[in-house]
Amino acid sequence: VLDLSRMETGDLNFKFDDYPLIECCQSALDSICHRIPDGVELTFTPDTIPVILHTDTLRLQQILTNLLTNSAKFTQEGEINLAYKVEEGGKQVRISVTDTGCGIPKEKQSAVFQRFEKLDENAQGSGLGLSICQLIIEHIGGKIWIDPDYTGGSRFVFTHPIHQTRNNSKKED
């Protein structure tokens, strides 16, 4: 709730630095592996292209952890997969968390990013996690959505820009 309030007032500080995406993903996976139910496999599918993001690593891990934790809550068997792929000619990376859980009915998918929205009132949580994720991702310059075509559970997808750094080491004459 405090994060949400700070984001809305512009008081939430972001600390951007260059960071390898694979390390951020691995850190998020390590932090939630104890929450994965027996009978569920936690997998990771990174792109073959190394990705360095100019990001706030704590906020990016917050997003990943939230999505992975949600998947763990609603997946009793099968797989939870974290994946990323560089796209748009290297201008952004598409990150996804896919599970074989109960899924989200299409008519409710647009509501999950609203505050205090819980599809299962008996599930743990406040219903703020996804709206906080959306605010963080938008602040970073990306977008988040549910893949409406995936029917084997749920797939949350978000983009993160890849800022190209120019080599300024050449001296001008």
Side-chain angles (χ1 to χ4, degrees):
V1 175
L2 289 174
D3 275 353
L4 190 62
S5 175
R6 287 183 189 126
M7 275 188 249
E8 287 183 335
T9 61
D11 292 336
L12 186 67
N13 294 325
F14 282 77
K15 294 180 182 166
F16 288 88
D17 202 355
D18 292 341
Y19 199 76
L21 178 56
I22 197 164
E23 288 180 24
C24 194
C25 290
Q26 196 59 60
S27 202
L29 290 165
D30 291 345
S31 75
I32 63 99
C33 65
H34 67 282
R35 295 182 183 187
I36 303 301
D38 290 339
V40 176
E41 185 178 3
L42 182 62
T43 60
F44 181 37
T45 312
D47 198 332
T48 55
I49 302 168
V51 178
I52 305 292
L53 293 179
H54 190 71
T55 193
D56 183 318
T57 57
L58 292 178
R59 296 294 171 200
L60 181 56
Q61 284 183 28
Q62 182 179 358
I63 294 164
L64 293 170
T65 301
N66 185 283
L67 295 176
L68 290 164
T69 300
N70 283 352
S71 285
K73 277 190 229 178
F74 299 105
T75 304
Q76 298 308 309
E77 59 183 25
E79 178 183 8
I80 298 170
N81 176 260
L82 171 61
Y84 67 82
K85 182 115 182 98
V86 175
E87 55 181 29
E88 289 194 20
K91 293 183 181 173
Q92 73 177 15
V93 61
R94 178 184 294 237
I95 303 166
S96 63
V97 174
T98 305
D99 65 53
T100 56
C102 59
I104 300 169
K106 282 195 185 212
E107 65 275 7
K108 295 189 176 187
Q109 288 181 3
S110 61
V112 298
F113 294 104
Q114 295 174 10
R115 289 181 205 154
F116 304 108
E117 185 64 35
K118 292 176 69 170
L119 298 182
D120 179 353
E121 289 303 320
N122 298 319
Q124 260 187 316
S126 62
L128 289 174
L130 290 173
S131 59
I132 291 170
C133 287
Q134 184 176 37
L135 286 170
I136 293 170
I137 290 165
E138 288 173 353
H139 184 85
I140 289 172
K143 293 181 178 7
I144 187 169
W145 65 94
I146 298 173
D147 181 347
D149 299 324
Y150 179 72
T151 58
S154 295
R155 176 178 290 139
F156 282 81
V157 182
F158 69 96
T159 57
H160 190 301
I162 299 174
H163 298 286
Q164 304 297 325
T165 56
R166 295 188 331 191
N167 184 350
N168 293 327
S169 61
K170 292 182 181 178
K171 291 184 179 177
E172 293 182 352
D173 293 334

